[in-house]
Amino acid sequence: DKKGIGRLRLVGSYDLHFYQPEQIKRVRLVRRADGYYCQFILSVDVQIKTEPTNKTIGLDVGLSAFYTDDQGNKVDNPKFLRKGEKKIKRLQRQLSRKQKGSNNRKKARQKLAKAHLKIGRQRKEFSKRVAYSVIQSNDLVAYEDLRIKNLVKNHCLAKSINDAAWYQFRTWLEYFGRKYGKVTIAVPPQYTSQNCSNCGKTVKKSLSTRTHVCSCGCQLDRDENAAKNILRMGLSTAGHTGTFGLEPINALGELTSTLTGAILLGQVDSLNKESPVTSLCD
Ligand SMILES: [Zn+2]
């Protein structure tokens, strides 16, 4: 190991010997708030053939629901996001009251770090599970191309926690999409909520307007209208250019490289739940 830490015992249910040594691209030790972890990055080509479902789906993510699809189905924001947000706020307050350089401050910081770690792990499990089920039930998935750079800009804690979850959700969608041979398309986020999904006319609405009402007679839940627009844009992109949005996203190299080794994730998961974006809540 050239670092003098000696031999380590591998804990977990997967057998690392299943892989050739040259498939292991990187091994690193990671320090998390609750201990040290060893991370293996593996280069594995996974493609699993599936039967066509003959279904397509458009997804709109938002604060009122984790996502709304083009049929108006909603997946609620998980409770842990709210609960975690409350806890983090409380711990942050406690930390700020402690004297600089004191032992109590160190303890408070450790507590806060653990809370971030926990919500990061929960978020990952949630977004992975939801993305998996969306990919399993559809041949084509369209969603908004929300960039992490823009997302990180906002300083509202509730929103930043959600943003991180959506970003992970998207990353998992694209990962499972490649793995199961499904089409995933990120469409530009402009006008998806303002345009009428029925006639295309622009119907201006503020964030608080929850219903889309158009002069053409179309009346829909705001997010459902957006999801319908997203799906249509996705389908037209797929039809015209044939670029299926399958290119890997690299906005967050950390996350992407973790996904390269996703076959090991079952194992890595239990040991090291990456939470690369949690720090944006600090
Ligand atoms: Zn209309």
Side-chain angles (χ1 to χ4, degrees), residues 196 198-199 214 216 218:
C196 176
N198 187 45
C199 70
C214 179
C216 74
C218 173

Side-chain angles (χ1 to χ4, degrees), residues 119-177:
I119 196 170
R121 289 169 174 172
Q122 288 173 313
R123 176 173 53 218
K124 181 178 165 185
E125 277 319 299
F126 174 77
S127 44
K128 187 176 162 186
R129 182 165 48 79
V130 177
Y132 179 81
S133 79
V134 167
I135 287 291
Q136 290 301 317
S137 353
N138 295 282
D139 299 335
L140 178 146
V141 185
Y143 44 88
E144 282 178 298
D145 188 7
L146 301 167
R147 290 280 156 193
I148 191 80
K149 262 188 239 155
N150 304 333
L151 298 178
V152 174
K153 272 184 199 149
N154 82 73
H155 289 286
C156 158
L157 183 63
K159 192 152 185 323
S160 63
I161 288 179
N162 272 286
D163 287 349
W166 295 326
Y167 187 77
Q168 281 216 331
F169 174 60
R170 178 201 169 152
T171 309
W172 282 109
L173 274 178
E174 293 174 2
Y175 168 74
F176 286 130

Side-chain angles (χ1 to χ4, degrees), residues 195-208:
N195 289 358
C196 176
S197 60
N198 187 45
C199 70
K201 213 163 73 186
T202 306
V203 184
K204 285 250 180 284
K205 37 181 115 50
S206 68
L207 262 176
S208 57

Side-chain angles (χ1 to χ4, degrees), residues 179-243:
K179 182 169 175 177
Y180 295 99
K182 306 299 181 82
V183 179
T184 54
I185 304 166
V187 306
Q190 291 85 14
Y191 316 116
T192 51
S193 64
Q194 304 296 327
N195 289 358
C196 176
S197 60
N198 187 45
C199 70
K201 213 163 73 186
T202 306
V203 184
K204 285 250 180 284
K205 37 181 115 50
S206 68
L207 262 176
S208 57
T209 315
R210 296 312 309 164
T211 313
H212 164 82
V213 184
C214 179
S215 55
C216 74
C218 173
Q219 185 170 338
L220 279 174
D221 169 73
R222 174 205 179 93
D223 300 334
E224 183 181 348
N225 178 62
K228 278 183 164 39
N229 283 329
I230 290 165
L231 176 60
R232 208 192 42 246
M233 282 163 81
L235 286 169
S236 66
T237 310
H240 287 305
T241 67
T243 54

